[in-house]
Amino acid sequence: MESTHNSIKIRIIKRATYGLGFYLTNDREAAVISGLVVDCEAEKSRLVLPGDRISAVNSIHVEAMTFAQVLAILEKIPAESPVVLLLKGPANCHTRLVTFFGEDGAPHTTRITEPVSSQAQTQTQAQAQTQTVKTDATVKTTIDGKSNGDIAASSTVQSQLMSIGTDLQQRLTRIEDFIQQGAMFRPVARTDSLGFLPALLEQGGTGQINGGGGGGAGVVPSKSSNNFEEDIPPGSPGLHRRTDSQSSLLRSANSRASLRRRSILTAPNSAQIIPSQTGDSTDESFSARDRRSSITTHSAHNHITLGRKSSNLEPSSIMSAGDSQRNNRSPSPTSMSANNKKYVKLKYLVDGKTTMDTLYRQSSQTLNCNPHRCTSSLLNTVRPQNSLARPKEEVLSLAKDFIRQYFESIKRYGTPAHVTRWNDVEAQINETGNYEFKEQELTFAAKSAWRNSQRCIGRIQWTKLQVFDARFINTPRTMFEALLNHIKYATNRGNIRSAITIFKQRTTPETDFRIWNQQIIRYAGYKQEDGSIIGDPASTEFTETCQKLGWKGANGRFDILPIVVSASGQDPELFDIPKEIVLQVMMKHAEYPKFAELDLKWYAVPVVSNMLFDVGGIFFPAVAFSGWYMNTEIARDYVDVSRYNLLEDIANVFNLDTSKISSLWKDQAFLELNKAILYSFQSTNTTIVDHHSASESFMKHLENEQKVRGGCPADWVWIVPPLGGSLLPVFHQEMLDYRLSPCYDYQEEAWRVHVWKKDKSKSSQAPKSKRKFGFREIARAVKFSAKLMSKALARRIRATIIFATETGKSERYAKALFDVFKYGFDVNVISADHYDLTHLEHEALLLIVTSTFGNGDPPDNGKEFAGYLHQLSSPDENFGHRSQLYTRTGRNVGSSLDRQETVNQDNFMESGGPLGNVRFAVFGLGSSSYPHFCAFAHHVDQSLRNLGGECILPIHTGDELNGQDQSFKKWATEVFRVACDDFCLGDDVNMADANAALSQGDSSWTRGRYRLRPVTGGVSDELPAALGQTHNKNVQTYRLKGRRHLQSKESTRQTILVEIEAEEDIPYHPGDHVALFAQNDTASINGLLDRLGIRPSPSPMQVEVLVEKAIGMTVTKTWKRLDRLPLLPLDMLFASILDITTPPSQMLCECLASLALDPTERERLMQLSKNTEQYENWKRFNWPTLLEVLDEFPSVEVDPTLLLVELPLLQPRFYSISSSALTNPKQIDATIGLVAYLTKGGNGPVHNGVCSSYLNKLPLNEKVFCYIRSASTFHLPSKLSMPIYLIGAGTGIAPFRSFWQHFEKMRETKSADKLEVSLIFGCRNSKLDHIYRDEIEALRKNGTIQHFYLALSREHGIPKAYVQSVIPTIAEKLFADISQRGAHIYVCGDVGMAAGVHDAIRDVCLAKGLTEIEAVKLLDHLRSSDRYHEDIFGNYNMASGY
Ligand SMILES: Cc1cc2nc3c(=O)[nH]c(=O)nc-3n(C[C@H](O)[C@H](O)[C@H](O)COP(=O)(O)OP(=O)(O)OC[C@H]3O[C@@H](n4cnc5c(N)ncnc54)[C@H](O)[C@@H]3O)c2cc1C
Ligand SMILES: Cc1cc2nc3c(=O)[nH]c(=O)nc-3n(C[C@H](O)[C@H](O)[C@H](O)COP(=O)(O)O)c2cc1C
């Protein structure tokens, strides 16, 4: 017999290369793992063995599927996504996971697979900390303990790499061993293998990760079965323990289970406060007494009242009244001192695993239980204080605790921001007894309240909650409209989404806003004279209230009740819900068509609306929240005696024998009903969760919560569904019930506490006539007002556009996107480096526009954002290194993204992840001439997905070389449409207007919108300040000290050495760049001014934009300065600030077209702006400057403001610094290739590079404006004790000059003894182009450069050679240096050269016997461990001289 404990659930990452890292074989249609790919995810995890059978993939059970289907599922999973696999170990084995503490105190999880008989033995071995994976005779594979241990221990790629030299040979040998054993495979190039990383482990067996730093090694045995209050080992959150032997566990599980079976006759579970469990939270007719009498064994818990321990870290200013109040709370009999380290042990009776809840100590609220009785099975016990105003002291205390929680959540606890916010809140409370939440705080609170809801089984989704902030709403009508919007959003055509709408908070209970409905959508219950009820008996009281307010129902079984709302304590108003927005599901049974004759239906979205949201001392009495249904909830609504009471009718459909109870007809009918409900929802694509999945997901949630916060409040009585009982894991899980804040709580029904302002009896007649509209009128009116309202509400949905840019295009696109999105959203556009990263988790809609720079890197201002994303995904990993993190995903995501539809579909089993509620879309700018096209954008996209974000539109990219503008426009139009759709604004937004904004947005130029004015006072900005302000950089003023030509005059190319001097030391490292600001050449500026008809004038000018503002009915127009440009004379703006040489973009062509007087020219310009192919051909052939375009289209009447608004900024140019601060700290040198080229296929005018020609002509001693840019990825290692290879061609030698100057100085101080430098330099001709020849000669002589290789591409009489041609000639040494001596490689030049060098080194590895994949991996390792450095100049062969 196969052991019941032969499954494990593991989570690993599917990599782009070799996927999950194993091979599958078809074993009688089962997918069985036949081998592992060495050093790939599965092998590295040490949790997968050949012989394992795949039972489930991401919760999809695959055992019943064909092999091909399983393969298809696995293949569909995108690269770099986590995959949860349920694996069945080999037959007759016992498989489980065990976690040990290593000597470092960190948990290590390993797998134990053993024949059933040797289980006890392994248990002992496990405790003795074995890390060997045991297998039975059928699975002979033994993963080498040592080498795997090594791999695990050196989990960072860096440390692996340090040992790669010696390790490589060992690994190769090991691979051979595995091949001989037939278990491991060398990878071959295929994409359908599947792969992993043990990021998070789920338990199918017994072991568990110990999240605490317990320090001790081995499994911690359970001391006793007493599950209460033991001292906690240090580092408490998420403690888990394993208990003693399996057999005793099973015994205890059985006895406990049977105890439950005996004692729990009805598993009560009607009104969960989150609607996956919603039912009848106010259903009084379901007798609490019944429940009490039926449940005798549950909840022997003592509930604990305790003030939260105050942290030592708390700044004194935020440690005031609140704390003393909190800590002075009188303890209950079971309370403990704040410093008491206590936990409650909770057992999972299936395997005896125990966890320790420490979170309960944060509960500061009492339950109604006391040491003598447990009240947890009582229904909605309303706390009297909920209907009262809170005393100020209590508000202070609770507010402070909440503000702490919020700032802890955004990792800003104790920061000045925290102190300031608390001071502000405290002041508000002291003044008014109340305070206002910031939107982010409210969002956090709403999610936390769900997370804290003890009775909700669906909490795994707690981060995925859309919060509609409706605090601005004042009237019943607008409340109603907001609720309609909620229904529309949540329903989402059946793909239901969780949401909450929050109305105004309580100021005094007398002026409360209330929603009178228990659920927004519910069926009426009409009491008949004979006492019977038509419809839903749970609604009779509310139905009567509605009727008194003038509502007339149709006396049907399923009449949707109206919405009744009251604002500011006034009498309520009543509104019908338009039928078309309520999704209802007709009930059918898959096998019994007769079931449909029962004519049952149910609404799809349960929106609980009568609870009180209690947060930070403030009550919100009007909130509506919704999730989705679990089948048993609806089933109970149909069959409970106190509800529709249909059990017998249902049994009759199935011809069940209802004559005797022992026929179990009730159970069977209930089961069939549940099947019908699931079938009906699923077959209409309406979200529903079955109780098994819900139960499993809750177990997962418990596990998550245990890790994250050391426990999870849970009310067993409510969590265990009313069907399935002991078949569900939750049944066997001990739970601890306590109240945390924020929370949703019960309150008295509105109609019971409302103080009527008008005579209630009159109000039942008077307003009726007013509201007697025909259905059509109502529908029309509602549609109209809902339209207006959803606009207003939508504008409350925040959309944040974040851009990261190096040369400004992404920013321009982001602003254009802003112009579109403001038609539907409350939109904000911000540069990535100014964005407050802690807001990320609270965004509703995030749009990212980013370019890629370097060689697959983020632009400078996107680096911090990238780091934050990385930190969020891998909090424990150091994010010191760079590009390969981006390129590794970037290079590969392209293909997998096309297949991404399967990702991020709502999966009940998956927790949201930190960005669970964030919807996002990414647009990437790049150039396809780079190997890592748009790599950073891809990386951001993938990271957001991995963090749980919901991608609303697959990533789009814009290729600089192919219609970037058009791609952007297409994406912008599409993403706006999808976003509107997603937030249900489809009908309410004028798409045409929004799309037109792409061309004529507020920030883009249109005739008459801008004007040019002399600056009042006539004072110009200083140029360095102007540059600094424009580029947001700290611009320095240095002087040009010297300049000399480095190449022979006879050469067709020229390179100059420029020496720049400062008055003080310049802070930089070898390898850094200097960014130099140039000026456009005078002839071009004058030509342009002539064309514009402008005479140069020394007066500074400013551009002004016409801004319209509506105040009431009046629209005012004012001119405002456009702060894009500094205050400078026009000729200076065209000289130093604006780029007048880069060919105009398609967007600018469109503007020019609108100004062309000649129809043919207009037509041509329009074509260029719309037809990307024509545009690209035209651009490539002419490479025209602005002036040349204006010459080509002479009829264009250019308005200077158009150019001032639309031209891109003249960017500074980067140059690798060619000097060392050790040689001269006040000077920087640059090696600059002079750019000059002919256009029109060699027949057009010569174009000179702006910056290079400017520096070539600039008189000595003139000012130079610049700043230093750190190139941390191109720095030298801190210790110079290894071989260093410097590989560059032409001006690519520039940074190496700073290196060798540095080496020379270091050698003088004997700090680089073991350094061995090899310089590989390429140029065309040794006599004409060999720059720095003399210096290199001298360095060779003095031993600074040990090896020098010259590659000449145009040397007379010898074959062409490039730097990459040198590599094979030094293969032996290079490979040994890389693999054994920790060599560093530096490559500098253009993209093509860098790619060539990379490939040449890879070829060396292949020649040395590595497989293709091993060679690539080796190079990847070198990169990620900062031993392979690239400095890429650009995508063209710029004066590189070879
Ligand atoms: C990180 C980094 C470091 C760098 N370090 C150095 C360095 O040390 N030394 C160095 O010389 N340069 C270096 N560069 C390049 C440098 O920044 C400038 O790009 C280069 O000097 C040209 O600038 P420019 O203003 O003279 O030319 P631009 O006016 O910018 O003209 C160059 C542009 O002209 C176009 N162009 C060029 N040739 C042709 C052609 N044949 N046909 C059509 N169009 C063409 C291309 O669009 C190109 O972008 C580096 C670049 C980067 C990004
Ligand atoms: C030095 C340099 C490096 C670049 N590296 C890449 C790259 O690795 N991948 C890519 O797709 N594009 C690369 N590009 C192209 C830019 O991403 C492209 O020009 C983009 O339009 C710039 O947008 P921005 O102005 O918002 O920065 C590079 C451009 C330069 C000048």
Side-chain angles (χ1 to χ4, degrees), residues 666-678:
K666 290 191 178 191
D667 306 59
Q668 200 176 341
F670 192 56
L671 182 65
E672 293 300 342
L673 171 64
N674 275 278
K675 281 163 68 180
I677 293 167
L678 283 171

Side-chain angles (χ1 to χ4, degrees), residues 1054-1086:
Q1054 290 302 318
T1055 304
I1056 53 173
L1057 171 71
V1058 168
E1059 295 166 341
I1060 297 163
E1061 194 179 41
E1063 281 170 9
E1064 290 171 353
D1065 287 0
I1066 307 174
Y1068 73 96
H1069 295 283
D1072 283 346
H1073 304 134
V1074 57
L1076 288 168
F1077 289 94
Q1079 288 182 9
N1080 290 307
D1081 89 299
T1082 318
S1084 309
I1085 301 164
N1086 290 339

Side-chain angles (χ1 to χ4, degrees), residues 1241-1393:
N1243 301 316
V1246 175
H1247 283 185
N1248 289 310
V1250 174
C1251 189
S1252 54
S1253 68
Y1254 168 77
L1255 289 169
N1256 193 32
K1257 288 186 211 149
L1258 190 70
L1260 294 187
N1261 284 321
E1262 275 296 312
K1263 289 176 183 166
V1264 177
F1265 305 114
C1266 58
Y1267 65 91
I1268 303 293
R1269 179 197 199 225
S1270 168
S1272 56
T1273 55
F1274 207 73
H1275 285 172
L1276 289 167
S1278 51
K1279 276 194 183 159
L1280 294 173
S1281 57
M1282 68 291 284
I1284 289 196
Y1285 285 81
L1286 309 176
I1287 307 171
T1291 46
I1293 200 170
F1296 302 148
R1297 188 168 183 261
S1298 78
F1299 285 10
W1300 69 57
Q1301 288 190 359
H1302 183 83
F1303 295 155
E1304 246 188 330
K1305 290 288 170 194
M1306 297 300 279
R1307 281 168 56 85
E1308 281 169 26
T1309 59
K1310 305 251 179 279
S1311 314
D1313 275 354
K1314 290 190 197 142
L1315 178 70
E1316 187 191 313
V1317 180
S1318 301
L1319 173 64
I1320 304 176
F1321 174 58
C1323 63
R1324 286 182 169 180
N1325 183 290
S1326 61
K1327 291 179 195 65
L1328 305 179
D1329 308 311
H1330 186 178
I1331 58 180
Y1332 298 124
R1333 180 189 196 132
D1334 297 343
E1335 275 183 49
I1336 294 170
E1337 280 303 315
L1339 292 160
R1340 289 181 65 189
K1341 281 200 186 112
N1342 72 18
T1344 305
I1345 294 177
Q1346 280 86 357
H1347 310 282
F1348 177 63
Y1349 308 93
L1350 184 63
L1352 298 166
S1353 62
R1354 296 201 190 167
E1355 185 82 358
H1356 188 66
I1358 58 164
K1360 273 183 190 298
Y1362 300 101
V1363 280
Q1364 49 271 46
S1365 327
V1366 174
I1367 308 285
T1369 67
I1370 55 168
E1372 202 69 39
K1373 176 170 159 43
L1374 179 66
F1375 187 72
D1377 285 349
I1378 293 172
S1379 54
Q1380 286 163 24
R1381 300 182 59 208
H1384 279 241
I1385 296 173
Y1386 292 85
V1387 183
C1388 180
D1390 67 48
V1391 152
M1393 189 216 85

Side-chain angles (χ1 to χ4, degrees), residues 1073 1183 1213-1216 1231-1233 1237 1249-1252 1294 1433 1436:
H1073 304 134
W1183 207 259
R1213 304 315 200 238
F1214 295 120
Y1215 294 96
S1216 302
T1231 307
I1232 297 178
Y1237 56 93
V1250 174
C1251 189
S1252 54
F1433 281 4
Y1436 54 96

Side-chain angles (χ1 to χ4, degrees), residues 1001-1076:
D1002 281 358
S1003 45
S1004 54
W1005 186 87
T1006 47
R1007 209 190 282 269
R1009 186 180 285 161
Y1010 295 92
R1011 70 178 187 184
L1012 202 54
R1013 280 283 175 278
V1015 173
T1016 339
V1019 184
S1020 294
D1021 287 334
E1022 288 294 323
L1023 190 53
L1027 291 168
Q1029 168 206 325
T1030 308
H1031 295 275
N1032 195 20
K1033 295 283 187 246
N1034 185 10
V1035 175
Q1036 303 296 322
T1037 307
Y1038 298 152
R1039 278 186 194 280
L1040 182 64
K1041 181 185 167 198
R1043 175 176 51 222
R1044 71 181 155 95
H1045 279 259
L1046 296 172
Q1047 278 168 273
S1048 156
K1049 285 208 176 93
E1050 283 77 54
S1051 174
T1052 51
R1053 298 181 167 203
Q1054 290 302 318
T1055 304
I1056 53 173
L1057 171 71
V1058 168
E1059 295 166 341
I1060 297 163
E1061 194 179 41
E1063 281 170 9
E1064 290 171 353
D1065 287 0
I1066 307 174
Y1068 73 96
H1069 295 283
D1072 283 346
H1073 304 134
V1074 57
L1076 288 168

Side-chain angles (χ1 to χ4, degrees), residues 280-538:
D280 320 311
S281 55
T282 53
D283 188 350
E284 292 198 309
S285 47
F286 182 85
S287 149
R289 202 168 8 93
D290 288 349
R291 290 166 185 254
R292 273 202 305 274
S293 59
S294 64
I295 300 169
T296 54
T297 59
H298 176 65
S299 293
H301 318 322
N302 293 333
H303 301 297
I304 290 156
T305 308
L306 181 71
R308 197 188 155 271
K309 178 183 142 191
S310 56
S311 160
N312 304 340
L313 290 172
E314 273 191 286
S316 54
S317 62
I318 50 173
M319 178 76 190
S320 53
D323 287 301
S324 52
Q325 203 273 342
R326 197 170 59 202
N327 293 334
N328 286 343
R329 212 175 285 257
S330 55
S332 77
T334 50
S335 72
M336 296 161 286
S337 87
N339 290 326
N340 211 345
K341 292 179 180 169
K342 297 286 177 183
Y343 59 86
V344 177
K345 226 172 7 170
L346 301 170
K347 199 181 270 187
Y348 180 47
L349 293 149
V350 171
D351 61 7
K353 187 187 83 191
T354 57
T355 53
M356 280 156 243
D357 191 302
T358 54
L359 179 68
Y360 78 90
R361 295 182 304 141
Q362 296 200 9
S363 167
S364 59
Q365 299 190 28
T366 49
L367 293 176
N368 292 326
C369 303
N370 68 29
H372 305 288
R373 54 163 177 72
C374 168
T375 59
S376 65
S377 75
L378 299 191
L379 268 174
N380 39 355
T381 40
V382 177
R383 298 143 69 82
Q385 59 265 42
N386 288 357
S387 21
L388 305 172
R390 267 203 171 111
K392 193 187 269 184
E393 290 65 36
E394 202 177 325
V395 177
L396 272 171
S397 160
L398 293 166
K400 187 168 181 191
D401 187 55
F402 171 71
I403 297 293
R404 170 194 63 77
Q405 286 188 42
Y406 174 71
F407 277 88
E408 270 176 6
S409 83
I410 60 169
K411 300 186 179 62
R412 297 258 173 109
Y413 174 77
T415 59
H418 181 185
V419 176
T420 312
R421 176 64 181 138
W422 168 242
N423 289 341
D424 168 37
V425 169
E426 193 179 31
Q428 285 186 53
I429 300 172
N430 282 330
E431 200 177 316
T432 64
N434 218 321
Y435 66 103
E436 286 289 324
F437 290 95
K438 300 227 160 108
E439 208 175 307
Q440 269 99 356
E441 291 166 353
L442 195 70
T443 304
F444 166 75
K447 292 179 184 174
S448 304
W450 182 4
R451 185 186 196 183
N452 293 338
S453 301
Q454 310 103 294
R455 295 178 163 182
C456 175
I457 195 172
R459 275 179 281 167
I460 195 156
Q461 297 269 332
W462 71 272
T463 55
K464 286 198 169 192
L465 181 69
Q466 175 62 44
V467 179
F468 291 109
D469 180 359
R471 289 177 295 167
F472 65 102
I473 281 176
N474 285 318
T475 64
R477 169 159 286 277
T478 44
M479 286 177 81
F480 161 65
E481 289 162 347
L483 292 171
L484 290 191
N485 211 68
H486 182 122
I487 298 172
K488 269 167 60 179
Y489 173 87
T491 306
N492 191 27
R493 299 180 200 97
N495 188 8
I496 293 168
R497 305 181 281 198
S498 315
I500 179 166
T501 301
I502 304 172
F503 295 101
K504 269 200 183 12
Q505 66 202 52
R506 172 175 297 163
T507 45
T508 59
E510 298 74 41
T511 55
D512 272 356
F513 281 65
R514 288 296 300 263
I515 306 168
W516 290 42
N517 308 56
Q518 295 153 323
Q519 291 182 25
I520 295 295
I521 305 169
R522 227 184 188 193
Y523 298 123
Y526 307 98
K527 227 183 205 158
Q528 305 299 297
E529 274 172 11
D530 64 357
S532 65
I533 291 164
I534 299 176
D536 189 345

Side-chain angles (χ1 to χ4, degrees), residues 804-811 850-857 859 925-935 958-960 964 1211 1214 1391 1432-1435:
T805 185
E806 193 70 50
T807 61
K809 264 194 208 161
S810 303
E811 179 173 1
T850 181
S851 64
T852 296
F853 215 63
N855 191 15
D857 294 343
L925 292 83
S927 163
S928 53
S929 62
Y930 286 86
H932 305 302
F933 176 58
C934 290
D959 183 355
E960 184 176 63
Q964 200 172 49
Q1211 296 296 330
F1214 295 120
V1391 152
I1432 308 284
F1433 281 4
N1435 54 358

